[in-house]
Amino acid sequence: MIQRSPALWQQELAQAVTDPAELLRILGLDPALLPAARQAAALFPLRVPRYFIGRMRHGDPDDPLLRQVLPLGEELLDHPGFVTDPVGDHAADQGGGILRKYHGRALLITTGACAVHCRYCFRRHFPYTELSLGRSGLATTLDRLAAVPELTEVILSGGDPLTLSDQRLGELLAGIAALPRLRRLRIHTRLPVVLPSRMTAGLVRLIATTPLATTVVIHANHPQELGPVLERALAPLRQTRAQLLNQAVLLRGINDTPEIQAQLSEDLFQLGVLPYYLHQLDPVAGAAHHAVTRDSALALLAALRQRLPGYLVPRLVAEQAGAATKLPLELLP
């Protein structure tokens, strides 16, 4: 039996930095950061691709990309209202990796694997072993989805669905495309941003050939995450009929100024990506130090509306467990 060598993106994924000491050494940062980083990483492991590290500023502990991935002692502190299941994923569990919260849509937890562990991740405590789609359970999951009469859209999430091999992803897409009444497919992924080598010709072909109307939602939080490499990675997708959107999370001290958000929207548009959502931080345990107050977030939104045309202003939203939709922050108390 011939064994295929791993693709470049798989090699890069396997070579991601997982040791806080190595991350600090690569960036020339103070070793005094290490004890707290190791404590926090023991609760939620560090993982960051070397490509993404290469976009960080050497020697700068306040680099906006580094601050998204470096484990900090603040993660060990308890804060009222910050919980392990901030958006009600457990209550939405339908079995087989299916989460159902909104009418006509089903979200599929395809895998627990991610290329990068963002410290603000709302699923940092999620029990992937119990609630994600297993390799042997695809047929059962598809049967459950087919039994939902109003289902018109499936959303692939995780983890990150693009950490799946092309073969596994192709099986999944083919099964979803065969579901009755289904019209749309949505793929939520951070890989194009942190591991652009994943955007292979084979992957683009899978996305281009599905009969479903497809949207790829990438996740970039800061203009520094963009650039020519990402532009080249996304260019083949732009030639397909897939819609390209971005969702970001509003993070204190990282992207919470009008200047940064406006630049992010402008730069995304140059890449053929429309700003979609700007999420108020989900109150997940371990991430309270990233939270931006409601008043500050609304002031930021007002400033963006003055600076940008409407199609470049992302929707500032918050997710509340049990709500029938994501809610504009303006409508929340």
Side-chain angles (χ1 to χ4, degrees):
M1 180 177 179
I2 299 176
Q3 291 186 340
R4 294 182 179 179
S5 300
L8 174 62
W9 71 268
Q10 291 172 316
Q11 297 175 40
E12 292 183 354
L13 185 63
Q15 293 165 1
V17 171
T18 57
D19 182 355
E22 184 178 9
L23 179 61
L24 297 178
R25 179 186 58 77
I26 291 171
L27 292 172
L29 295 172
D30 189 347
L33 296 168
L34 184 57
R38 280 190 165 148
Q39 278 188 289
L43 298 178
F44 181 46
L46 168 73
R47 174 172 289 275
V48 56
R50 295 173 189 273
Y51 165 81
F52 199 59
I53 296 172
R55 299 201 64 81
M56 299 175 188
R57 295 190 293 262
H58 191 270
D60 184 0
D62 294 322
D63 178 85
L65 277 57
L66 174 68
R67 292 191 59 189
Q68 295 179 52
V69 301
L70 178 65
L72 297 175
E74 287 93 332
E75 297 178 33
L76 307 174
L77 304 177
D78 290 329
H79 291 267
F82 283 77
V83 297
T84 57
D85 183 22
V87 296
D89 278 345
H90 290 277
D93 173 43
Q94 302 284 303
I98 300 169
L99 302 183
R100 293 204 58 219
K101 297 181 181 180
Y102 307 137
H103 179 80
R105 285 155 282 174
L107 185 144
L108 194 55
I109 301 292
T110 56
T111 175
C114 276
V116 62
H117 288 177
C118 303
R119 308 313 296 180
Y120 53 85
C121 179
F122 70 98
R123 289 200 179 115
R124 55 182 286 163
H125 305 283
F126 191 83
Y128 286 106
T129 303
E130 304 167 28
L131 301 184
S132 62
L133 171 65
R135 176 175 289 274
S136 61
L138 178 57
T140 299
T141 293
L142 292 173
D143 286 344
R144 289 176 177 172
L145 292 173
V148 181
E150 73 275 17
L151 187 67
T152 56
E153 181 174 19
V154 168
I155 303 162
L156 302 188
S157 185
D160 195 308
L162 295 193
T163 60
L164 299 174
S165 68
D166 285 357
Q167 178 180 349
R168 176 65 172 157
L169 190 61
E171 294 169 356
L172 181 57
L173 294 183
I176 291 172
L179 292 172
R181 300 173 297 278
L182 201 68
R183 300 175 185 172
R184 296 182 300 276
L185 170 71
R186 199 187 324 167
I187 302 172
H188 284 199
T189 178
R190 187 127 160 87
L191 259 73
V193 175
V194 302
L195 197 73
S197 59
R198 178 61 183 104
M199 305 307 294
T200 62
L203 173 62
V204 172
R205 192 179 310 114
L206 285 175
I207 295 172
T209 55
T210 178
L212 299 171
T214 301
T215 300
V216 178
V217 184
I218 68 170
H219 177 179
N221 292 318
H222 193 280
Q224 193 175 316
E225 299 176 35
L226 312 181
V229 175
L230 178 59
E231 183 175 20
R232 289 193 295 272
L234 293 178
L237 264 187
R238 293 178 62 180
Q239 304 306 312
T240 73
R241 59 193 181 95
Q243 301 293 316
L244 299 182
L245 305 177
N246 183 68
Q247 61 178 355
V249 179
L250 187 58
L251 301 165
R252 186 168 67 193
I254 294 174
N255 62 0
D256 57 343
T257 68
E259 292 77 15
I260 291 173
Q261 285 293 332
Q263 189 66 55
L264 178 61
S265 287
E266 296 275 14
D267 290 354
L268 284 166
F269 189 67
Q270 290 300 116
L271 300 182
V273 182
L274 274 178
Y276 173 40
Y277 277 149
L278 177 58
H279 292 268
Q280 183 77 335
L281 181 77
D282 296 314
V284 62
H289 57 292
H290 286 303
V292 175
T293 66
R294 177 181 182 275
D295 287 348
S296 295
L298 291 177
L300 171 63
L301 178 63
L304 287 178
R305 285 172 171 164
Q306 293 176 6
R307 289 169 177 256
L308 297 171
Y311 60 88
L312 289 186
V313 179
R315 300 167 180 86
L316 178 61
V317 297
E319 185 169 355
Q320 289 191 339
T325 182
K326 288 183 174 64
L327 301 168
L329 194 62
E330 296 161 297
L331 302 182
L332 295 173

